[in-house]
Amino acid sequence: MTPRQESRRGDAQPRVAVVGAGSWGTTFGKILADGGAHVTMWARRPELAHEINEAKRNSEYLPGINLPRSMSATHHLSEALDGAEQVYLSIPSQAVRQNLKAVRPLIAQTDAPIVSLMKGVERRTGLRMSQVIEQELHCDPDRIAVASGPNLALEIAREQPTAAVISSTSQETADAVARRARNGYFRTFVNTDVIGTEFGGVLKNLIAVAIGIVDGVGYGENTKASIITRGLVEMTDFAVAFGAQPETLQGLAGLGDLIATCQSPLSRNNTAGRLLGQGYRFDDVVKQMNQTAEGLASVAPILQLAREVGVAMPIVEQVKMVLDGTMNPRDIAPHLTTDDDTPMGERTQNGQNGGGGALWRSLQRALDQFRHGGRGAAGDRP
Ligand SMILES: NC(=O)C1=CN([C@@H]2O[C@H](COP(=O)(O)OP(=O)(O)OC[C@H]3O[C@@H](n4cnc5c(N)ncnc54)[C@H](O)[C@@H]3O)[C@@H](O)[C@H]2O)C=CC1
Ligand SMILES: O=C(CO)COP(=O)(O)O
């Protein structure tokens, strides 16, 4: 039975499409199917589409996981997108623009929300994925949503209880996507801070690479806790400089994802860092990774963006030096090595963590409520 015929059987169910059948795309497809949708996956390789259809498995990316009957797959993009009321994208960030060129004519007649599940920036332009989508699909930003949070695919595929955040500049779009993408083990919160939500997902990957490096070297919990804490400061400074709400970085898409990714051996960014810390060269690490580690491609564009807005990112700078082979992984540390003699305050550049931070936050909140007719824009809300 073709995916189209199979989906006709479930016509009462809302239909959604997931473009990309790797570990996160397939897991998200399962989330949506377990939430009541009929899901059609687009897989680049026909043999993977065949395995999902016939065996209800994706053994390469999600070993041991049985997929729901209401999930099917095709390697024809047009079949996957046909009639979809929401479209989810889950392919490596560097391949998104090129794939969107094929998606565009196929969804020209619909106004289905487009949801980015990705956590990288485009290397060449430094653009976030929602910006690339807006450019390539020529669509209203209110139609675009992003999903983020502490979401290690295999744990969720095993139905371990997890929270995530769905963000869109349109509250209506965020709510519609959050309602569709939830079930008994996956709870979605919403916000309208797309910049903070996307940058949270991108930046935590870079800090997770740093954690992997020190883990590989053999350093212990003090080093890791120091990097996580100072890493969150770097993430917040960077994102706020680009217009994010600081609260978003304290939520699921910031601190939440930072904790999950830095702690888990399931994280590919963490794993790539660990190999570097063990002494493997960058090229060898890339060869060993058979799944996407977004952080490796995002380091350079993020540092370029940081320089443009004058934000210091000492930990990310050191990750780049280790990747480039210009710093011994043993020398990576949670401080700026060139600034050792100058005592620094611990707070973020926008004044978080202190009295100034509280004042800043209440001013932001007041402004925010004013802008949104009494409702705050940031903070993860059910
Ligand atoms: N795996 C996870 O736990 C999570 C991943 N993400 C994000 O999801 C995105 C996708 O990651 P994963 O699914 O984990 O990666 P993956 O490596 O498991 O799968 C990537 C998929 O994209 C396909 N692909 C690779 N190059 C392509 C190209 N040029 N054109 C079209 N398709 C291509 C692959 O065949 C594969 O199906 C990344 O941005 C990642 O940061 C977000 C949350 C959790
Ligand atoms: O984003 C993730 C968890 O939230 C997955 O992290 P990795 O891409 O490092 O595996």
Side-chain angles (χ1 to χ4, degrees), residues 119 146-151 163-167 191 193-204 232 235 247-258 380:
K119 294 182 177 170
V146 304
S148 202
N151 294 162
V165 60
I166 306 292
S167 180
N191 74 42
D193 179 13
V194 175
I195 298 172
T197 303
E198 273 189 311
F199 273 140
V202 173
L203 296 167
K204 64 83 193 178
L232 184 60
M235 289 168 58
E247 285 88 346
T248 308
L249 280 296
Q250 292 162 12
L252 292 163
L255 179 61
D257 205 359
L258 185 64
D380 306 332

Side-chain angles (χ1 to χ4, degrees), residues 17-33 39 41-42 48 52 58 60-63 65 67 71 88-93 115-120 129 145-166 181-183 185-188 201 204-205 257 266 268 290-292 294:
V18 180
V19 176
S23 49
W24 189 221
T26 308
T27 299
F28 217 91
K30 174 168 159 44
I31 291 168
L32 292 158
V39 180
M41 309 284 311
W42 173 75
L48 177 53
I52 292 174
N58 182 342
E60 182 183 340
Y61 290 104
L62 297 176
I65 302 296
L67 301 173
M71 251 176 105
Y88 294 78
L89 303 174
S90 186
I91 51 185
S93 298
V115 188
S116 164
L117 305 180
M118 290 125 355
K119 294 182 177 170
M129 288 301 105
V146 304
S148 202
N151 294 162
L152 295 154
L154 196 57
E155 291 186 8
I156 298 172
R158 290 178 180 145
E159 304 188 6
Q160 297 177 14
T162 304
V165 60
I166 306 292
R182 67 171 54 166
N183 62 38
Y185 55 83
F186 193 78
R187 169 72 158 140
T188 40
K204 64 83 193 178
N205 283 339
D257 205 359
L266 287 177
R268 288 83 42 93
N290 53 8
Q291 290 189 21
T292 312
E294 291 277 16

Side-chain angles (χ1 to χ4, degrees), residues 12 29 76 82 120 177 186 190 199 206 211 217 231 239 246 266 270 274-275 294 328 330 332 340 363 373 376 379:
H76 299 294
D82 187 19
V177 173
F186 193 78
V190 289
F199 273 140
L206 308 182
I211 291 293
V217 164
L266 287 177
N270 194 329
R274 198 160 41 250
L275 293 169
E294 291 277 16
N328 184 331
R330 298 196 70 78
I332 195 167
D340 278 349
L363 279 171

Side-chain angles (χ1 to χ4, degrees), residues 305-349:
L305 290 171
R307 279 181 213 116
E308 284 167 17
V309 289
V311 169
M313 301 192 88
I315 296 171
V316 180
E317 291 277 4
Q318 293 174 82
V319 168
K320 174 135 191 342
M321 289 193 271
V322 172
L323 292 178
D324 291 348
T326 57
M327 178 183 255
N328 184 331
R330 298 196 70 78
D331 294 336
I332 195 167
H335 55 77
L336 184 60
T337 46
T338 53
D339 197 26
D340 278 349
D341 290 339
T342 314
M344 287 170 69
E346 195 187 345
R347 65 178 52 179
T348 64
Q349 289 174 20

